[in-house]
Amino acid sequence: MNPIAYETAAGMALFKDEILDSFILHIPHASTHIPSLEGFVPGKLEGNMRLLTDWATDRIFDVPGLARIITPYSRLFCDVERFGDEHEPMLEVGRGFYYTHGYDGSALRELDVARKEAVRREFYLKHHERLADMARERLAKHGVCHVLDCHSFNDDPLVPFHAAPKSPDICIGTDPFHTPDHWKAYTLHYFSRLGYSVEINDPYAGCLIPKPYYLKDSRVKGLMIEINKRLYMNEGVVDEERVGELRGVMKGYFEEL
């Protein structure tokens, strides 16, 4: 990856009128709560939960004064980060919004059409309605909305369609329509300056945009930050001291905007 040119004065100037109140921190994968175990294959949840949960992201991305939307249930039950089935590539491996298969391709939950529709209606759609409402409020108040999609990933990335995924400290996900160059450049510069290895759209790409605005309204801007779990976990156990350090890093990220 060629470094993106970054000029501090220019980058800061572009953010001056886009105040912090226009930001939403979207944290979709931190929870381990399963609202209903109905349909799940016995013994399959624990291993998938361990690898697919974004442990501690609700604490790492806890920045005073910034609005957050934290999904209160596990992605294994309903993954709000996915597109609907007709546009979701992960459906091919059984991991659309309604997971039927785990990270290793083995069965995780039976496909019950009525149950899936209930999850879509009561969990998936309600989450996206709330996110869209938050974006609408910011557009009305500020004329702009920034959605920061907050994730972490395994040191050995679980990317089924990627033959040789990279494993940087930080992965920045962007969208060609919704991610402004100055935000991407600022993010790359900030983490690189702190000594982290950074890649853009590798091993994970893109960012979540509220559905009513996706590819329709460039005033809704988006970017994803993925933090490698090796930065805050040791052999599968969360290191609270390092979580605190990363929380400080994220606080600094917004203080320097």
Side-chain angles (χ1 to χ4, degrees), residues 1-2 12 14 22 27-28 40 46 58 77 85 88 98 113-114 129 142 181 193 210 213 218 245 255:
M1 181 190 68
N2 294 324
M12 294 292 283
L14 286 166
S22 70
I27 306 170
F40 281 96
E46 184 177 353
D58 54 340
F77 178 78
D85 284 353
E88 178 50 59
Y98 184 91
V113 175
E129 288 169 4
H142 306 296
D181 287 342
R193 178 173 56 81
Y213 305 101
S218 62
E245 292 171 356
E255 288 175 344

Side-chain angles (χ1 to χ4, degrees), residues 92-249:
E92 182 180 330
V93 293
R95 283 160 54 192
F97 78 89
Y98 184 91
Y99 284 24
T100 57
H101 292 73
Y103 71 92
D104 60 354
S106 63
L108 175 68
R109 175 171 53 179
E110 65 183 39
L111 177 58
D112 181 290
V113 175
R115 187 183 301 124
K116 178 179 178 178
E117 174 56 26
V119 170
R120 187 187 75 87
R121 183 179 62 252
E122 297 300 322
F123 294 90
Y124 182 83
L125 291 181
K126 286 186 177 181
H127 175 90
H128 284 279
E129 288 169 4
R130 182 184 172 201
L131 180 61
D133 286 344
M134 293 175 72
R136 190 175 304 112
E137 291 169 0
R138 279 148 184 81
L139 288 176
K141 186 175 181 180
H142 306 296
V144 66
C145 174
H146 294 84
V147 181
L148 180 63
D149 207 11
C150 308
H151 294 265
S152 67
F153 65 100
N154 297 291
D155 193 20
D156 184 12
L158 302 171
V159 191
F161 305 117
H162 200 317
K166 295 182 180 178
S167 186
D169 295 326
I170 304 292
C171 170
I172 301 170
T174 66
D175 179 271
F177 185 81
H178 291 280
T179 306
D181 287 342
H182 64 273
W183 190 8
K184 177 171 63 175
Y186 168 78
T187 304
L188 175 61
H189 173 79
Y190 177 79
F191 287 107
S192 297
R193 178 173 56 81
L194 293 178
Y196 295 108
S197 59
V198 185
E199 293 288 341
I200 294 178
N201 292 322
D202 196 342
Y204 298 97
C207 55
L208 183 75
I209 300 296
K211 290 189 174 185
Y213 305 101
Y214 182 58
L215 298 181
K216 297 176 182 177
D217 192 336
S218 62
R219 296 177 304 159
V220 178
K221 306 177 191 303
L223 183 139
M224 177 174 68
I225 293 178
E226 292 252 13
I227 298 175
N228 198 310
K229 290 179 183 177
R230 67 175 175 239
L231 297 182
Y232 70 91
M233 297 185 76
N234 294 315
E235 297 182 353
V237 178
V238 173
D239 184 326
E240 294 297 339
E241 182 176 350
R242 298 173 78 186
V243 166
E245 292 171 356
L246 286 170
R247 186 186 303 118
V249 167

Side-chain angles (χ1 to χ4, degrees), residues 63-99:
V63 181
L66 267 64
R68 302 195 298 168
I69 177 168
I70 305 173
T71 308
Y73 41 82
S74 171
R75 67 189 298 183
L76 300 178
F77 178 78
C78 176
D79 193 340
V80 299
E81 191 79 7
R82 304 301 193 211
F83 286 112
D85 284 353
E86 66 276 16
H87 300 298
E88 178 50 59
M90 293 296 285
L91 182 65
E92 182 180 330
V93 293
R95 283 160 54 192
F97 78 89
Y98 184 91
Y99 284 24

